[in-house]
Amino acid sequence: MMPAVTTKLKSRRSRWAAAWLGFCLFISLAAPFLANDLPLYARVNGISYFPALHPLNLVSSDGRMIPASRFNWRGNDAFCIWPLVQWSPSATDMKASLSAPLESKHILGSTLTGNDVASGIIHGAAVSLGIGIISMLIAGLIGISAGALAGFAGDNGYRTPAVAVLFLLFGTIPAFFYGFYLRAEILESALREGNGFTAVLLSVMVFIVVVFLCWRLGLLAGRLRMLSKQIRLPVDLLISRLTEIFASLPRLILIITLSALARPSAMNLVLIFGLTGWTEIARMTRAEMLKLRKGDYIRAAISQGIPTRRILLFHALPNIMKPAFISMLFGVAGVILAESSLSFLGIGVPLETVTWGSLIAAARENFEAWWLVVFPGLAVFFTIASLNILADEIG
Amino acid sequence: MAQYLVKRILFFIVTLFIISLIAFTVTVCSPGDPVDRIFSGQGQEQQGIQAGAQARQKLRRELGLDLPVFYFSIGSIGEPDTLNRIYPAQDRSFVKKLLARHGDWNAVSSYYRSILLLRKELDSIQVDTGIAPVAAAEMKLMCAALLQPGSESNFIIEKMKLLARQQLEEIHHNAAAIQSAYETMERQTPGLQRYLFSLHFHPKNQFHAWLFGVEGKKGILQGNFGVSYISKQPVLSYIGDRLPWTIFFSFFSVLLAYAISIPVAMKMASRPGTPFDKNMSLLLYLVYSVPVFWLATLLLMTFSNPGVMQLFPASGVSPAAGYPSGASFLEKTRITLPYLVLPAICYCYAFVAFLTRLVRTSIGAQLGQDYVRTAFAKGLSRRTVRLRHVLPNALLPAISLFAEVFPLAIGGSVIIESIFTIPGMGSGIYQSLQSQDYPVLVCIFTLTGFITMTGYFITDILYAWIDPRIRYA
């Protein structure tokens, strides 16, 4: 990945794009410190507090101890250092409902219920970028492995005992049993509650471990003289077909349909985007790997006797990272677009979470509130455009 | 070509099967019980609770809900594969939990059956003699409490026996049976049986009935998608009015996109490297990155806003008051046109941007080829070379995209149709999500998946037909 990241960005627009993305990354990481309705530092009666960092710490006021989040920092004569935007995204300010920018203390305006737009944009950046990046990391993991395997092994390159394949296929049955059936109640309640991510991850790990064990058993069985018939597994064909199947699923409709079953949550979205978005990455990686295999240094490494695993990991993989990374950038742009479309419709993330899409949706009833459409929309537009420009430039 | 066709058709069927699997999973997992829904619509119990329960069981068997769910099922050796016959869903999960805790199916089933027997006896007592209704009702409550997981069953059973001995002599032996069954069950622990798996095959199952239909009820393949929860109409006819709008818009916007982008791309390619070319390229790239819902909302706010500029109507596809009577087809078209402009822009702008850049790159690639140089050397005019030789070759990748756009348009249609309130499939899926109308949701999902698959299939065939190199790859 290093060659991809340290490529000099030559054109002016790609430098603007990288600057904007860096800015978005910064404000999403620093969101609690940039937009919060608790001060960063406060001194009351000689005692210093950091309410933004520790909202649950107790503050003494008139002899009682109340949590910092409920203390009235503006009222008492406390010395406070406030963050840049003095509202959190869910803080309502009914005195300044639907105010235009620069009309009240809300710099970029406010919604009907008095939520600050600037604060919503800052925290929305965290949501969008978070969902985009994490889901693409998952997709990248799946896609790069699948594409590299498919490209490297080809249709003829992988010989295994036929018994091992049989063991692998039949091994999916106990794997499913131990991974999903025995854990059925846990999974069901976790998915309905919205924190299905860890439960599903654990089940998938159990599945993979059992399948792997059966595979090893099969390899061992293949050493017996009786069962040692070798076949050539068409890895490329299988993985390509799988990729095409996943690629032809209608993603947005799938998410809308599945959100009818499970409670909306960011984790569920990340899971779905990650599990359906890996096909482009796999396609790119496979094409690159096919090109690479024809080159000489792979053949030299094979002839030297370096084990296949090592060749894949240390010789081939670093060179196919660049197209995979470009696909991942395009993927993040797509996920951010899909996620903001979904939260515009009110599906996907819980309705209390403020994202760019939900801010634009708030403008549908009040056509005069142009600030609710322009500012969040510009944020989405700049982010997607920057990702596209950057990906185009690197490639 | 025939071999390629066969491969593609096989693949098409496999992916359709997977789509149907997903749709079936949504149908099975959707919250709410179909039997309850039908019963709550029909009115309350006619002759007591027992008749109601029996009628429900009968309805359930008719609907085919007591069959196993899929062709095969994996379970542990200790469990039977017929758990689906236990009717109320909480009872089923209760029995499963008991099985998980105690392992022996015989013990668990006899315990469950003894509770059910007691309930039946109580019902028959109430119907026959009407003795001690309060005690009977209390006993029933205790039965219900026993059937909840996590209750202190020992305590409840003791209370039951006491109550039976005091007031309800007839059913004392039932209560004693429950207690002995409970004690037998409590002594069992799940042995190795629970952790060993077994595979069961079921030729008759819900998926088969849902997809292919059984005698008396048609399946998905014959067009029976069930009945909408909200409007009580068959789903397919309910959706039938929505399909034409979505297809019309997709088709229309694709044609419009081709009509706009090919001339623009040709103009760009005729002056390569000029500021026009470069700026247009950048502009198209930026236009491509604009989110659909943002553009739609901006357009509505600007052009349909009485406060700013009212050039186009704000929503719908036809005047709310209807067309003036006796209007001819041309008149109706003229009136409908303003309603279609903004949605059409939203549908096709991204594709225009993408297509223009694609065709531009393609033309640029062709212009460097040898045959173009030959054509110029032969003395052909620039116009002839561009139109008759370069363009057909450059349009190859663009033509194959023709069918691929439909699937993308369907996905985008959800947003556009919701914003502009067009009565199409996209807004249909959104509305059915909001009103939790699961049969409609599943139907639209299946149809959309089908159209998507068809789009990709036609793309592949077109591409192979036009470009012979693909067939032999």
Side-chain angles (χ1 to χ4, degrees):
Chain A
M1 211 166 352
M2 288 316 285
V5 169
T6 57
T7 301
K8 297 274 185 300
L9 297 169
K10 297 207 173 58
S11 71
R12 198 171 55 177
R13 58 182 174 179
S14 62
R15 270 182 251 156
W16 279 107
W20 170 261
L21 284 176
F23 173 66
C24 273
L25 214 59
F26 169 67
I27 63 173
S28 55
L29 288 174
F33 304 118
L34 287 176
N36 210 335
D37 52 1
L38 301 169
L40 288 173
Y41 169 79
R43 195 165 61 213
V44 178
N45 296 335
I47 316 177
S48 325
Y49 300 99
F50 296 93
L53 295 174
H54 309 286
L56 295 174
N57 273 6
L58 297 176
V59 175
S60 71
S61 101
D62 310 328
R64 290 174 305 142
M65 303 287 280
I66 50 178
S69 48
R70 287 205 237 147
F71 187 75
N72 183 6
W73 296 103
R74 286 172 226 254
N76 304 358
D77 45 8
F79 167 74
C80 297
I81 299 183
W82 290 95
L84 206 58
V85 176
Q86 293 176 23
W87 284 270
S88 79
S90 46
T92 57
D93 182 14
M94 291 313 285
K95 291 186 298 240
S97 135
L98 219 60
S99 64
L102 302 180
E103 216 176 61
S104 69
K105 286 182 84 176
H106 294 269
I107 310 173
L108 292 179
S110 66
T111 70
L112 193 64
T113 50
N115 297 331
D116 184 38
V117 169
S119 165
I121 291 184
I122 292 178
H123 283 257
V127 174
S128 293
L129 279 183
I131 294 184
I133 293 180
I134 299 183
S135 62
M136 270 303 128
L137 286 177
I138 300 177
L141 200 66
I142 305 177
I144 293 180
S145 333
L149 275 177
F152 196 80
D155 271 338
N156 291 324
Y158 193 62
R159 296 174 61 209
T160 69
V163 200
V165 177
L166 279 173
F167 267 68
L168 181 75
L169 287 178
F170 283 117
T172 53
I173 299 180
F176 181 76
F177 179 69
Y178 292 111
F180 291 95
Y181 186 75
L182 284 184
R183 288 169 51 82
E185 289 145 22
I186 311 175
L187 281 180
E188 217 170 296
S189 64
L191 276 175
R192 275 190 219 264
E193 290 302 306
N195 50 353
F197 187 64
T198 33
V200 172
L201 203 63
L202 194 58
S203 291
V204 168
M205 302 229 127
V206 170
F207 187 88
I208 292 179
V209 163
V210 176
V211 165
F212 183 69
L213 284 174
C214 288
W215 168 246
R216 287 313 243 185
L217 271 176
L219 283 180
L220 275 178
R223 289 192 193 215
L224 301 172
R225 188 89 59 87
M226 226 176 27
L227 303 168
S228 65
K229 171 152 161 61
Q230 307 257 335
I231 58 167
R232 289 176 183 272
L233 202 60
V235 177
D236 192 8
L237 195 73
L238 291 172
I239 295 188
S240 296
R241 291 289 163 257
L242 199 67
T243 314
E244 286 180 43
I245 292 180
F246 270 89
S248 23
L249 292 178
R251 207 160 76 168
L252 209 64
I253 310 269
L254 185 68
I255 296 178
I256 296 182
T257 314
L258 289 179
S259 68
L261 299 179
R263 221 175 74 174
S265 88
M267 273 310 174
N268 285 353
L269 268 190
V270 165
L271 211 63
I272 295 186
F273 280 127
L275 292 178
T276 54
W278 55 270
T279 52
E280 262 315 300
I281 304 175
R283 216 175 279 177
M284 287 279 127
T285 316
R286 174 178 169 270
E288 193 70 16
M289 186 62 103
L290 285 177
K291 248 190 283 186
L292 221 58
R293 251 197 341 151
K294 298 203 168 64
D296 281 335
Y297 67 98
I298 299 276
R299 289 159 80 194
I302 296 179
S303 69
Q304 276 186 352
I306 303 181
T308 319
R309 210 166 306 140
R310 200 179 165 79
I311 299 182
L312 259 182
L313 281 179
F314 294 107
H315 293 97
L317 219 56
N319 290 307
I320 62 172
M321 271 309 189
K322 190 156 159 212
F325 185 63
I326 297 174
S327 294
M328 279 166 58
L329 282 182
F330 277 122
V332 175
V335 169
I336 293 184
L337 181 61
E339 182 272 324
S340 45
S341 311
L342 285 174
S343 53
F344 176 81
L345 292 175
I347 314 169
V349 277
L351 291 169
E352 310 86 43
T353 318
V354 177
T355 72
W356 290 334
S358 67
L359 280 174
I360 302 181
R364 274 167 84 181
E365 281 94 45
N366 316 296
F367 271 2
E368 311 83 35
W370 56 269
W371 55 93
L372 289 178
V373 180
V374 170
F375 297 122
L378 280 179
V380 183
F381 170 57
F382 281 153
T383 310
I384 298 182
S386 307
L387 282 166
N388 280 337
I389 290 177
L390 209 60
D392 203 39
E393 197 70 20
I394 298 181
Chain B
M1 182 67 176
Q3 205 184 26
Y4 189 74
L5 204 63
V6 166
K7 269 201 323 200
R8 283 285 128 193
I9 291 183
L10 226 58
F11 189 69
F12 182 62
I13 296 182
V14 167
T15 19
L16 272 186
F17 185 68
I18 294 185
I19 295 257
S20 70
L21 272 179
I22 300 179
F24 180 66
T25 314
V26 175
T27 314
V28 163
C29 296
S30 59
D33 191 4
V35 177
D36 276 340
R37 216 175 295 265
I38 297 183
F39 258 82
S40 68
Q42 275 183 5
Q44 308 310 67
E45 306 98 69
Q46 298 97 322
Q47 309 133 5
I49 313 101
Q50 187 174 359
Q54 269 188 352
R56 278 172 193 249
Q57 283 278 36
K58 195 155 101 65
L59 183 63
R60 196 156 182 271
R61 214 167 301 140
E62 273 171 30
L63 287 178
L65 289 176
D66 61 341
L67 290 173
V69 175
F70 195 61
Y71 289 107
F72 59 87
S73 64
I74 301 178
S76 65
I77 293 187
E79 288 179 3
D81 57 346
T82 54
L83 279 180
N84 259 327
R85 299 213 195 123
I86 301 180
Y87 168 40
Q90 308 110 299
D91 280 9
R92 203 178 317 146
S93 56
F94 171 69
V95 170
K96 275 198 194 159
K97 284 203 177 74
L98 280 184
L99 261 180
R101 218 171 341 141
H102 301 289
D104 182 9
W105 170 242
N106 286 326
V108 171
S109 85
S110 58
Y111 175 58
Y112 180 63
R113 251 193 280 258
S114 60
I115 302 182
L116 288 186
L117 202 61
L118 177 61
R119 251 209 321 225
K120 210 153 76 137
E121 290 281 334
L122 284 175
D123 282 339
S124 60
I125 288 182
Q126 271 194 320
V127 167
D128 291 342
T129 54
I131 295 183
V134 175
E138 198 174 318
M139 198 67 120
K140 276 218 169 140
L141 275 178
M142 286 196 270
C143 280
L146 265 188
L147 287 175
Q148 305 284 351
S151 54
E152 298 134 6
S153 318
N154 250 330
F155 183 55
I156 299 182
I157 294 182
E158 283 301 325
K159 268 179 63 176
M160 265 190 180
K161 278 187 64 176
L162 203 62
L163 186 60
R165 206 176 313 142
Q166 287 173 352
Q167 301 198 18
L168 294 165
E169 277 296 330
E170 302 90 7
I171 54 160
H172 184 243
H173 63 280
N174 287 61
I178 293 185
Q179 182 170 49
S180 61
Y182 180 70
E183 276 161 14
T184 331
M185 188 183 72
E186 282 288 306
R187 275 189 297 230
Q188 316 285 345
T189 46
L192 207 55
Q193 287 181 343
R194 176 164 156 72
Y195 298 101
L196 295 178
F197 60 92
S198 70
L199 199 60
H200 309 285
F201 289 99
H202 317 282
K204 291 172 69 148
N205 52 65
Q206 291 187 28
F207 180 70
H208 191 88
W210 179 80
L211 192 60
F212 298 107
V214 239
E215 62 286 322
K217 217 162 86 124
K218 292 193 187 185
I220 293 280
L221 290 184
Q222 287 120 335
N224 178 19
F225 280 93
V227 167
S228 154
Y229 286 167
I230 306 290
S231 70
K232 309 284 188 226
Q233 290 175 16
V235 172
L236 208 54
S237 64
Y238 180 64
I239 294 186
D241 319 316
R242 293 179 169 270
L243 197 57
W245 276 112
T246 307
I247 304 261
F248 163 69
F249 265 110
S250 309
F251 222 68
F252 183 53
S253 58
V254 167
L255 289 178
L256 196 63
Y258 273 98
I260 296 179
S261 54
I262 296 181
V264 174
M266 285 182 58
K267 180 89 176 169
M268 282 167 70
S270 66
R271 302 158 201 272
T274 57
F276 173 71
D277 186 20
K278 288 208 193 116
N279 294 338
M280 205 56 187
S281 206
L282 179 62
L283 183 68
L284 287 171
Y285 210 58
L286 291 178
V287 165
Y288 178 67
S289 314
V290 172
V292 179
F293 63 96
W294 187 45
L295 185 71
T297 317
L298 278 177
L299 284 177
L300 273 182
M301 275 178 60
T302 323
F303 293 115
S304 306
N305 198 350
V308 180
M309 256 195 277
Q310 179 104 45
L311 288 179
F312 302 106
S315 66
V317 283
S318 47
Y323 294 102
S325 50
S328 69
F329 182 67
L330 222 56
E331 273 283 317
K332 281 198 198 155
T333 316
R334 199 185 62 83
I335 297 180
T336 318
L337 220 49
Y339 288 91
L340 303 180
V341 171
L342 293 183
I345 296 180
C346 290
Y347 260 109
C348 70
Y349 77 94
F351 192 48
V352 166
F354 182 70
L355 199 61
T356 314
R357 292 189 92 234
L358 184 74
V359 176
R360 160 79 185 87
T361 319
S362 187
I363 295 182
Q366 294 297 322
L367 285 178
Q369 301 267 11
D370 285 340
Y371 73 91
V372 174
R373 274 169 117 200
T374 314
F376 280 127
K378 274 176 18 178
L380 295 175
S381 72
R382 283 190 54 169
R383 187 191 172 79
T384 318
V385 174
R386 284 215 312 258
L387 282 179
R388 282 189 55 192
H389 295 280
V390 173
L391 196 59
N393 287 311
L395 284 183
L396 265 175
I399 297 212
S400 66
L401 272 185
F402 183 73
E404 190 162 312
V405 153
F406 287 104
L408 303 174
I410 304 251
S413 73
V414 181
I415 304 165
I416 302 178
E417 287 180 12
S418 307
I419 300 182
F420 290 105
T421 39
I422 300 173
M425 299 248 284
S427 64
I429 207 177
Y430 185 57
Q431 275 175 23
S432 59
L433 181 70
Q434 301 287 69
S435 51
Q436 296 191 324
D437 196 354
Y438 293 104
V440 176
L441 193 68
V442 169
C443 178
I444 296 187
F445 172 73
T446 318
L447 282 182
T448 313
F450 180 68
I451 296 179
T452 305
M453 296 301 151
T454 317
Y456 285 130
F457 179 65
I458 297 182
T459 307
D460 286 333
I461 301 295
L462 261 178
Y463 212 72
W465 182 50
I466 296 178
D467 189 353
R469 297 173 290 183
I470 302 294
R471 301 177 217 162
Y472 303 108

